[in-house]
């Protein structure tokens, strides 16, 4: 009986980086060399990428003779496959390289060699032929049933959402209930600052709403910067690839900024010891909006099918986020002024630092940036005029807030502010009163200080 035709897609579990591959090359006179390769990664149906880390004999041989064979192992069945390859090029930038570099760091930290493993490039090879190697193997795991149905259920739930907050919570609930993903978060991009900020999460002890990650930082930052999914299947160094690396306190030394640097750190909500992570960029009309991120304490929790599902969900999430934030603001006049809620109790001391629009309440950090400028404006207007009702439109027209002309993410910033107030200052809160309208509720006296 002839063997079924093998393709890279059918042996894709071999290309997850779980087990190092074995690579055979020859020099110009035909002398063979065999070496282990940390990564053999699926690129497309006709190409794989191998990690280039050392200027060794393998590297010398490939530059002289571009043909090689690589032995890969399916970690689920212990089946071996031999790939016959032809070297084409080396990439030292771009999505394939960055994804492999992030994955390699996970492998390195798992092996206790984080300072040794450094990716110099991603060597791209054309796959000429794939052959199965005879030997005993385990039966393949049963296919996961109903994956398309789970995707459909997620999509239908998301399509019914009419507000950004509802959409975010619905997406995370669908991941948990339909795909059994317990730990996930959504981060949106603040393009002017090149930062991603958490707007929703599930499965963590604290929400981490407002925590920030720089573009290019960890799997989340790399996915956003390169516009490509990044997936790691092994234990990772939490300090490098889960926790947002904060600016050193030394960076503030010698500056005239009077605010406490340590107070600006909103704890990142990630797992302390993640064994699997996947970050998928949110893209709409070719424009990056943020990242959908999931992680697990289990090794190899997310495979290529999970990545494909999350890419589809992220596409709908990005399009819906863009649509909901682009909805036209209300233009009709505000209704008659509402009666302000009576205040009682000790006064809240609210301090605003103009350098970065950071806001502290009773010396506890609340928010910074555009969201900080918004709450400062609302509190000043409320104190000077007694106003409680506001519109998105007036915020967009206020030059002091310095909102971007394009893609201002105002709804997301208001949601971020609303969540931070809920978690840190229940005596001040914001509630929606209609499309493009909201109300500021202040339950205690407020003392404003502009630093």
């Amino acid at each position: 009986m002839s063997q079924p035709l093998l393709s890279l897609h059918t042996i894709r579990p071999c290309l997850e980086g779980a087990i190092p591959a074995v690579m055979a090359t020859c020099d110009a006179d035909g002398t063979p060399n065999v070496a282990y390769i940390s990564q053999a990664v699926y690129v497309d149906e006709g190409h794989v990428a191998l990690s280039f880390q050392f200027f060794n004999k393998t590297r010398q041989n490939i530059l002289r003779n571009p043909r090689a064979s690589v032995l890969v192992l399916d970690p689920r069945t212990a089946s071996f496959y031999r790939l016959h390859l032809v070297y084409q090029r080396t990439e030292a930038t771009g999505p394939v390289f960055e994804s492999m570099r992030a994955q390699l760091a996970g492998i390195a930290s798992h092996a206790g060699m984080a300072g040794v493993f450094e990716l110099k490039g991603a060597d791209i090879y054309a796959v000429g032929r794939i052959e199965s190697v005879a030997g005993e193997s385990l039966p393949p795991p049963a296919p996961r049933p109903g994956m398309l149905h789970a995707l459909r259920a997620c999509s239908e739930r998301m399509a019914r959402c009419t507000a950004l907050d509802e959409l975010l919570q619905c997406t995370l609930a669908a991941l948990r209930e339909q795909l059994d993903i317990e730990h996930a978060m959504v981060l949106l991009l603040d393009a002017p600052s090149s930062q991603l900020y958490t707007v929703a999460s599930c499965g963590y002890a604290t929400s981490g709403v407002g925590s920030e990650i720089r573009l290019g930082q960890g799997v989340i930052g790399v996915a956003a910067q390169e516009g490509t999914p990044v997936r790691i299947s092994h234990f990772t160094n939490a300090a490098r690839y889960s926790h947002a690396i904060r600016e050193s306190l030394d960076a503030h030394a010698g500056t005239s900024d009077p605010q406490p640097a340590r107070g600006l750190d909103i704890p990142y909500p990630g797992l302390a010891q993640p064994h699997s992570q996947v970050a998928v960029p949110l893209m709409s009309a070719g424009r990056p909006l943020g990242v959908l991120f999931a992680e697990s304490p289990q090794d190899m929790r997310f495979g290529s099918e999970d990545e494909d599902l999350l890419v589809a969900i992220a596409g709908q999430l990005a399009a819906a986020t863009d649509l909901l934030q682009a909805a036209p603001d209300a233009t009709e006049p505000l209704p008659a002024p509402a009666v302000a809620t009576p205040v009682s109790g000790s006064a809240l001391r609210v301090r605003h630092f103009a350098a970065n629009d950071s806001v502290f309440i009773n010396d506890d950090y609340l928010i910074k940036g555009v969201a900080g400028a918004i709450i400062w404006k609302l509190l000043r207007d409320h104190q000077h005029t007694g106003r409680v009702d506001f519109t998105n439109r007036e915020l967009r027209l206020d030059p002091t807030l310095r909102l971007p002309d394009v893609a201002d993410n105002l709804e997301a910033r208001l949601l971020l502010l609303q969540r931070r107030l809920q978690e840190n200052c229940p005596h001040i809160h914001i509630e929606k009163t209609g499309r493009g309208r909201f109300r500021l509720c202040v339950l205690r006296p407020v003392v404003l200080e502009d630093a």
Side-chain angles (χ1 to χ4, degrees), residues 348-409:
L348 299 171
R349 177 172 172 246
V350 181
R351 300 178 70 200
H352 170 251
F353 294 86
N356 60 358
D357 284 314
S358 58
V359 173
F360 291 74
I361 298 181
N362 289 343
D363 296 324
D364 292 326
Y365 173 64
L366 176 68
I367 202 71
K368 68 179 179 180
V370 173
I374 290 173
I375 188 60
W376 185 245
K377 167 192 164 51
L378 300 181
L379 289 172
R380 289 181 62 196
D381 284 3
H382 174 71
Q383 188 172 79
H384 294 159
T385 67
R387 286 187 64 192
V388 295
D389 289 312
F390 299 87
T391 68
N392 291 11
R393 178 177 172 79
E394 67 178 286
L395 295 183
R396 287 193 165 100
L397 295 176
D398 189 334
T400 65
L401 299 181
R402 300 188 295 276
L403 285 167
D405 293 332
V406 179
D408 57 29
N409 281 350

Side-chain angles (χ1 to χ4, degrees), residues 328-334 393 435 437:
D329 294 325
T331 57
E332 61 270 16
L334 284 169
R393 178 177 172 79
R435 180 170 58 85
R437 301 179 184 279

Side-chain angles (χ1 to χ4, degrees), residues 201-241:
S201 69
C202 69
Y204 302 106
T206 59
S207 75
V209 168
S211 59
E212 297 178 338
I213 290 180
R214 294 189 302 274
L215 284 179
Q217 180 181 36
V219 295
I220 294 173
V222 169
Q225 179 173 276
E226 299 298 329
T228 187
V230 178
R231 179 161 46 91
I232 295 178
S233 299
H234 312 283
F235 177 76
T236 62
N237 184 319
R240 289 186 66 189
Y241 285 90

Side-chain angles (χ1 to χ4, degrees), residues 25 210 266:
T25 59
I266 298 175

